[in-house]
Amino acid sequence: MANPANNQQQSQPNEESALFPTYARYPLAFAKGQGSYLWDVNGKKYLDFMCGLGVTNLGHAPTAVADKLKQQLDELWHTSNLFEIPNQEKAAQLLTAMTSGDAVFFCNSGAEANEAAIKLARKYQQKVKGAERYEIITFNQSFHGRTLATLTATGQDKVKEGFHPLPAGFVTVPLNDLEALQTAIGPHTAAVMLEMIQAEGGVHPAKTEYVQAVAELCKQHGLLLIIDEIQTGMGRTGKLLSFEHYGIEPDIFTLAKGLASGFPVGAMVGKAYLKEAFTAGSHGSTFGGTPLATAAVIATLETMQEQNVVEHAAQMGEYLMQQLHDKLSGHSFVKEIRGKGLMIGIECTSSVNEMIMAGQEKGLLFVNAGPNVIRLLPNLLITKQEIDQAVQIVSDIIHEYAPVASASGPSGV
């Protein structure tokens, strides 16, 4: 295997592979995961501060979720949403009891959850309220998925290249600019779709006063407020849902990633009055909310309650932030350390790609959020000792590589 530290970019796709080359993969393959650690096929151990991009929130292979899935595997995998699914009802009851939502639609992914939210907003405005409203306002640098609708909603041009013509009905404005939002609201506006922290866009939190003003504008204009909690939800920011930091309640919020500890599932959660718009036949999903998927959701939610996972994440998030400031404050390569809970971004003065590869060489996995931001996403049960280990490696890498990176200037990758 080539030395990752000598490669600034991920490896190029294998021309002999039977897969479409849609991923520039790192030259690593993993064979085992447990808790905060992964082992590659050669037996090397890595401390995981990626968590599959915020997915394995309870660590790798959590026992309670594994046991629930094994039990379900022996009983029933799939029927159809034409029949009642007891696990699905129980998972929805748990979700609504733990949140401000009243009704749940289960699907397979975050993109599908956001698609469902877009459809629900339009259907509610047009069929329940009788208004010709269909436009969804989103924000620059946001990320909402890769279906045609959700990539159009995404505020990043790079994900849209080659997919034109894009669906109509989406307007994008700068985050934290209330005047721009007010100007964008028109007679056809149906909803505003917002991330509390733009994870893929560079770990940029929305300002509290801005979010509260957005919520008030939605009420004034009869718009639905949709909060995308795909990466920020399920305890990631030190609250079960990131909008709880802001003192608001959206009409709709979406979940995926950490919802089932790595089992693929998504959910759109909404207020009770929206049920009138999503009646029988208005939306569906063949694999949404199967007995297997919802068994993983139930086990994940129950574990989070029993082990006070969200409270632990909040405490460890404060500790991680403090340790990073202690180690990196004053370093000329580090522009800002920001985030909430266990979603942290370290903005640097130039590309961090080489540092990601160096981290892998040193046994630490982390990822970027844009070319210049190191993103840290440890599991929510991470220990202080594991945080200390990760912070030391990040600090060592920055001190070792920053002079080279600074000398070469921004890469523009």
Side-chain angles (χ1 to χ4, degrees):
M1 181 182 295
N3 184 346
N6 294 330
N7 300 300
Q8 190 166 353
Q9 301 292 336
Q10 290 121 292
S11 62
Q12 294 301 308
N14 181 358
E15 292 183 1
E16 298 179 359
S17 173
L19 299 170
F20 273 105
T22 54
Y23 303 103
R25 300 181 191 271
Y26 294 113
L28 292 173
F30 297 105
K32 178 185 175 183
Q34 189 64 54
S36 299
Y37 295 93
L38 285 165
W39 287 262
D40 69 19
V41 293
N42 298 315
K44 182 177 176 178
K45 184 179 180 181
Y46 300 81
L47 178 57
D48 185 6
F49 266 55
M50 287 178 61
C51 284
L53 294 177
V55 171
T56 55
N57 281 5
L58 298 181
H60 292 283
T63 301
V65 181
D67 289 347
K68 190 82 170 179
L69 278 171
K70 290 171 185 175
Q71 178 185 348
Q72 192 62 50
L73 279 168
D74 289 336
E75 295 175 355
L76 182 66
W77 296 15
H78 178 83
T79 54
S80 165
N81 277 305
L82 294 175
F83 303 99
E84 293 183 0
I85 300 174
N87 272 0
Q88 189 177 124
E89 185 63 44
K90 182 176 180 180
Q93 292 286 352
L94 278 169
L95 263 178
T96 54
M98 294 170 68
T99 71
S100 61
D102 301 311
V104 183
F105 176 84
F106 285 109
C107 51
N108 305 292
S109 67
E112 289 182 43
N114 284 338
E115 283 268 355
I118 292 165
K119 289 181 67 176
L120 177 56
R122 289 181 171 182
K123 191 75 176 290
Y124 177 76
Q125 295 285 10
Q126 295 175 32
K127 296 301 182 181
V128 177
K129 304 299 287 185
E132 286 300 313
R133 293 186 171 191
Y134 54 86
E135 286 183 348
I136 312 295
I137 298 176
T138 63
F139 298 86
N140 294 347
Q141 297 306 309
S142 62
F143 186 87
H144 298 294
R146 292 186 181 272
T147 64
L148 276 175
T150 57
L151 72 82
T152 306
T154 292
Q156 300 184 47
D157 289 341
K158 65 182 180 181
V159 305
K160 305 176 186 184
E161 294 176 0
F163 298 117
H164 294 78
L166 300 174
F170 296 91
V171 178
T172 304
V173 300
L175 183 67
N176 294 321
D177 185 337
L178 193 60
E179 184 178 352
L181 177 60
Q182 290 172 319
T183 301
I185 295 173
H188 299 302
T189 307
V192 174
M193 185 179 236
L194 175 65
E195 297 165 289
M196 299 292 91
I197 302 176
Q198 293 183 332
E200 300 296 329
V203 192
H204 290 287
K207 295 178 180 177
T208 300
E209 61 274 17
Y210 179 77
V211 172
Q212 293 174 348
V214 171
E216 186 58 33
L217 272 177
C218 287
K219 290 178 183 178
Q220 291 174 7
H221 292 274
L223 314 179
L224 297 184
L225 177 58
I226 304 168
I227 302 298
D228 181 338
E229 293 275 4
I230 304 303
Q231 192 165 144
T232 54
M234 299 306 296
R236 171 59 54 187
T237 68
K239 297 283 189 182
L240 182 63
L241 301 168
S242 66
F243 66 75
E244 294 173 10
H245 290 286
Y246 294 83
I248 64 161
E249 287 189 10
D251 301 281
I252 302 168
F253 62 89
T254 53
L255 296 168
K257 290 192 181 288
L259 181 57
S261 299
F263 199 95
V265 63
M268 179 199 66
V269 186
K271 293 293 190 181
Y273 50 80
L274 297 171
K275 284 186 175 183
E276 191 176 354
F278 255 21
T279 53
S282 58
H283 195 49
S285 171
T286 297
F287 293 110
T290 63
L292 268 177
T294 47
V297 173
I298 291 166
T300 298
L301 292 172
E302 289 179 341
T303 299
M304 293 185 73
Q305 289 180 314
E306 292 164 3
Q307 297 188 23
N308 297 317
V309 171
V310 176
E311 293 82 354
H312 181 80
Q315 293 167 6
M316 292 302 98
E318 291 179 4
Y319 183 76
L320 173 57
M321 185 69 83
Q322 184 60 57
Q323 295 303 106
L324 288 169
H325 279 289
D326 289 348
K327 290 284 188 180
L328 300 176
S329 288
H331 196 292
S332 60
F333 186 67
V334 176
K335 292 179 64 177
E336 185 180 13
I337 304 171
R338 57 179 177 258
K340 288 183 184 291
L342 290 171
M343 177 183 285
I344 304 295
I346 305 169
E347 184 176 358
C348 301
T349 58
S350 62
S351 174
V352 299
N353 287 337
E354 188 171 344
M355 295 182 181
I356 291 170
M357 306 299 283
Q360 294 172 11
E361 182 72 6
K362 293 176 182 291
L364 177 68
L365 303 175
F366 56 90
V367 70
N368 64 328
N372 295 358
V373 178
I374 293 171
R375 183 172 19 157
L376 302 179
L377 300 166
N379 74 77
L380 307 190
L381 294 171
I382 197 78
T383 66
K384 286 185 176 180
Q385 292 76 16
E386 290 163 345
I387 288 174
D388 290 344
Q389 180 185 351
V391 170
Q392 187 61 57
I393 294 173
V394 170
S395 176
D396 289 346
I397 291 170
I398 286 178
H399 283 85
E400 290 169 12
Y401 282 80
V404 176
S406 297
S408 61
S411 66
V413 174

XYZ file of all heavy atoms in Angstrom, residues 364-408:
344
model
N -5.447 8.135 12.928
C -6.624 8.943 13.250
C -7.386 9.252 11.974
O -6.813 9.735 10.999
C -6.208 10.257 13.929
C -7.365 11.213 14.256
C -8.262 10.628 15.347
C -6.834 12.581 14.675
N -8.699 8.999 11.994
C -9.552 9.277 10.850
C -10.356 10.547 11.099
O -11.062 10.662 12.105
C -10.517 8.119 10.605
C -9.888 6.741 10.376
C -10.986 5.684 10.265
C -9.016 6.735 9.122
N -10.209 11.513 10.211
C -11.084 12.682 10.216
C -11.283 13.108 8.774
O -10.669 12.559 7.853
C -10.523 13.818 11.080
C -9.134 14.277 10.726
C -8.916 15.287 9.812
C -8.023 13.694 11.338
C -7.637 15.716 9.482
C -6.731 14.120 11.030
C -6.546 15.129 10.095
N -12.141 14.086 8.548
C -12.521 14.458 7.192
C -12.546 15.971 7.092
O -12.483 16.671 8.104
C -13.891 13.824 6.838
C -15.016 14.490 7.619
C -14.167 13.857 5.341
N -12.637 16.471 5.870
C -12.724 17.916 5.679
C -14.175 18.353 5.506
O -15.077 17.533 5.349
C -11.880 18.349 4.476
C -12.390 17.776 3.171
O -12.941 16.680 3.126
N -12.207 18.511 2.092
N -14.382 19.658 5.514
C -15.679 20.261 5.188
C -15.373 21.460 4.314
O -15.265 22.582 4.793
C -16.415 20.672 6.455
N -15.184 21.221 3.016
C -14.591 22.216 2.153
C -13.082 22.057 2.193
O -12.541 21.314 3.022
N -12.363 22.728 1.320
C -10.919 22.471 1.192
C -10.096 22.840 2.409
O -9.054 22.236 2.650
C -10.521 23.324 -0.021
C -11.582 24.365 -0.135
C -12.846 23.709 0.332
N -10.543 23.812 3.208
C -9.684 24.360 4.259
C -10.157 24.055 5.679
O -9.612 24.621 6.629
C -9.572 25.883 4.109
C -8.877 26.297 2.827
O -8.433 25.455 2.056
N -8.796 27.589 2.590
N -11.147 23.212 5.842
C -11.713 22.971 7.178
C -11.568 21.507 7.563
O -12.045 20.611 6.854
C -13.199 23.377 7.246
C -13.779 23.077 8.631
C -13.361 24.866 6.921
N -10.902 21.257 8.688
C -10.862 19.929 9.303
C -12.152 19.740 10.080
O -12.513 20.561 10.917
C -9.654 19.799 10.252
C -8.340 19.829 9.461
C -9.746 18.533 11.089
C -7.101 19.929 10.334
N -12.860 18.654 9.800
C -14.120 18.380 10.500
C -13.941 17.172 11.416
O -13.485 16.113 10.986
C -15.237 18.107 9.485
C -16.594 17.896 10.103
C -17.731 17.808 9.088
N -17.348 17.500 7.735
C -18.167 16.959 6.830
N -19.412 16.654 7.165
N -17.757 16.712 5.601
N -14.304 17.332 12.676
C -14.199 16.264 13.669
C -15.599 15.822 14.073
O -16.406 16.625 14.542
C -13.416 16.753 14.886
C -12.001 17.268 14.617
C -11.351 17.751 15.910
C -11.130 16.198 13.958
N -15.864 14.516 13.909
C -17.174 13.936 14.200
C -17.005 12.631 14.976
O -17.306 11.552 14.460
C -17.946 13.667 12.897
C -18.255 14.855 11.993
C -18.705 14.379 10.617
C -19.336 15.729 12.620
N -16.541 12.669 16.207
C -16.392 11.427 16.973
C -17.748 10.885 17.393
O -18.764 11.588 17.330
C -15.585 11.877 18.193
C -15.967 13.308 18.378
C -16.141 13.863 16.983
N -17.773 9.640 17.830
C -19.041 9.093 18.329
C -19.425 9.782 19.637
O -18.592 10.388 20.318
C -18.952 7.575 18.484
C -18.121 7.146 19.672
O -18.563 7.203 20.823
N -16.891 6.719 19.408
N -20.693 9.692 19.981
C -21.229 10.471 21.101
C -20.907 9.864 22.462
O -21.186 10.484 23.495
C -22.741 10.634 20.950
C -23.233 11.194 19.620
C -24.715 11.523 19.693
C -22.441 12.409 19.166
N -20.310 8.676 22.470
C -19.865 8.038 23.713
C -18.344 8.110 23.857
O -17.767 7.392 24.665
C -20.346 6.585 23.753
C -21.870 6.413 23.842
C -22.267 4.948 23.662
C -22.406 6.940 25.160
N -17.734 8.985 23.101
C -16.277 9.144 23.138
C -15.812 9.472 24.562
O -16.532 10.107 25.334
C -15.853 10.268 22.153
C -14.371 10.200 21.834
C -16.255 11.646 22.658
C -14.006 9.145 20.852
N -14.611 9.037 24.920
C -14.066 9.293 26.255
C -13.073 10.457 26.205
O -12.561 10.816 25.139
C -13.348 8.052 26.804
O -12.183 7.798 26.002
C -14.269 6.839 26.784
N -12.763 11.006 27.381
C -11.758 12.069 27.453
C -10.398 11.564 26.982
O -9.645 12.299 26.319
C -11.661 12.603 28.883
C -12.830 13.483 29.305
C -12.603 14.076 30.688
C -13.726 15.034 31.061
N -13.529 15.639 32.402
N -10.077 10.325 27.311
C -8.785 9.776 26.906
C -8.679 9.693 25.379
O -7.635 9.998 24.794
C -8.587 8.391 27.524
C -8.408 8.382 29.030
C -9.724 8.587 29.802
O -10.822 8.438 29.240
N -9.610 8.919 31.084
N -9.774 9.299 24.739
C -9.774 9.220 23.274
C -9.714 10.610 22.652
O -9.056 10.812 21.628
C -11.013 8.453 22.807
C -10.946 6.970 23.144
C -12.289 6.265 23.068
O -13.344 6.944 23.025
O -12.302 5.015 23.050
N -10.404 11.577 23.261
C -10.314 12.956 22.791
C -8.884 13.475 22.908
O -8.349 14.093 21.981
C -11.297 13.857 23.562
C -12.738 13.556 23.127
C -10.969 15.342 23.360
C -13.790 14.281 23.929
N -8.253 13.215 24.059
C -6.867 13.654 24.249
C -5.961 13.076 23.174
O -5.082 13.772 22.627
C -6.366 13.229 25.629
C -7.027 13.996 26.766
O -7.635 15.057 26.509
O -6.943 13.515 27.921
N -6.151 11.807 22.872
C -5.339 11.148 21.856
C -5.534 11.810 20.491
O -4.566 12.108 19.779
C -5.706 9.657 21.775
C -4.913 8.872 20.732
C -5.396 7.429 20.613
O -6.203 6.952 21.419
N -4.928 6.742 19.586
N -6.792 12.057 20.127
C -7.091 12.654 18.820
C -6.562 14.076 18.726
O -5.964 14.468 17.708
C -8.595 12.638 18.573
N -6.784 14.870 19.760
C -6.337 16.269 19.737
C -4.814 16.352 19.624
O -4.279 17.206 18.908
C -6.837 17.026 20.992
C -6.172 18.387 21.105
C -8.352 17.175 20.948
N -4.112 15.454 20.302
C -2.653 15.456 20.215
C -2.200 15.159 18.790
O -1.265 15.805 18.268
C -2.053 14.437 21.183
C -0.537 14.496 21.271
C -0.056 15.849 21.772
O -0.436 16.298 22.851
N 0.784 16.511 20.982
N -2.855 14.204 18.143
C -2.479 13.872 16.764
C -2.769 15.037 15.830
O -1.940 15.401 14.991
C -3.211 12.590 16.293
C -2.724 11.373 17.090
C -2.995 12.376 14.795
C -3.505 10.101 16.812
N -3.954 15.648 15.968
C -4.301 16.804 15.124
C -3.300 17.931 15.341
O -2.824 18.558 14.384
C -5.737 17.283 15.415
C -6.010 18.623 14.732
C -6.759 16.243 14.955
N -2.975 18.191 16.594
C -2.008 19.245 16.905
C -0.644 18.941 16.297
O 0.002 19.815 15.692
C -1.888 19.404 18.423
O -0.903 20.351 18.764
N -0.205 17.697 16.437
C 1.094 17.309 15.872
C 1.108 17.503 14.357
O 2.088 18.016 13.791
C 1.400 15.845 16.201
C 1.723 15.622 17.675
O 1.979 16.618 18.388
O 1.704 14.455 18.113
N 0.025 17.088 13.712
C -0.045 17.200 12.249
C -0.009 18.655 11.814
O 0.721 19.034 10.888
C -1.326 16.509 11.726
C -1.227 14.995 11.902
C -1.559 16.855 10.249
C -2.520 14.271 11.642
N -0.792 19.495 12.479
C -0.816 20.914 12.106
C 0.552 21.546 12.304
O 1.030 22.309 11.454
C -1.910 21.648 12.905
C -3.292 21.274 12.356
C -1.710 23.165 12.845
C -4.464 21.885 13.088
N 1.205 21.222 13.393
C 2.525 21.802 13.635
C 3.577 21.259 12.658
O 4.525 21.961 12.311
C 2.959 21.542 15.083
C 2.289 22.432 16.085
N 1.053 22.137 16.621
C 2.663 23.626 16.613
C 0.710 23.117 17.459
N 1.663 24.015 17.474
N 3.390 20.019 12.209
C 4.345 19.435 11.268
C 4.124 19.910 9.840
O 5.077 20.162 9.099
C 4.245 17.904 11.302
C 4.764 17.273 12.588
C 4.410 15.798 12.681
O 3.975 15.231 11.651
O 4.548 15.218 13.771
N 2.844 20.017 9.447
C 2.527 20.269 8.048
C 2.197 21.715 7.732
O 2.258 22.115 6.579
C 1.342 19.385 7.613
C 1.732 17.970 7.342
C 1.914 17.069 8.391
C 1.940 17.525 6.051
C 2.284 15.756 8.155
C 2.314 16.216 5.793
C 2.476 15.336 6.853
O 2.855 14.048 6.598
N 1.836 22.509 8.731
C 1.403 23.881 8.469
C 2.453 24.714 7.745
O 2.116 25.466 6.832
C 0.990 24.566 9.766
N 3.742 24.622 8.102
C 4.719 25.432 7.371
C 4.736 25.120 5.876
O 4.819 26.012 5.047
C 6.052 25.054 8.028
C 5.667 24.601 9.410
C 4.360 23.892 9.231
N 4.587 23.818 5.536
C 4.569 23.417 4.126
C 3.315 23.930 3.455
O 3.337 24.530 2.386
C 4.657 21.881 3.994
C 4.545 21.470 2.530
C 5.946 21.382 4.611
N 2.155 23.730 4.149
C 0.882 24.148 3.575
C 0.826 25.651 3.405
O 0.359 26.175 2.408
C -0.261 23.666 4.467
N 1.306 26.387 4.400
C 1.278 27.854 4.347
C 2.182 28.381 3.248
O 1.868 29.341 2.561
C 1.708 28.432 5.690
O 0.793 28.063 6.705
N 3.316 27.721 3.055
C 4.257 28.166 2.031
C 3.691 27.988 0.635
O 3.919 28.795 -0.260
C 5.573 27.406 2.173
N 2.919 26.895 0.445
C 2.383 26.613 -0.885
C 1.152 27.450 -1.183
O 0.772 27.618 -2.335
C 2.030 25.119 -1.004
O 1.047 24.783 -0.060
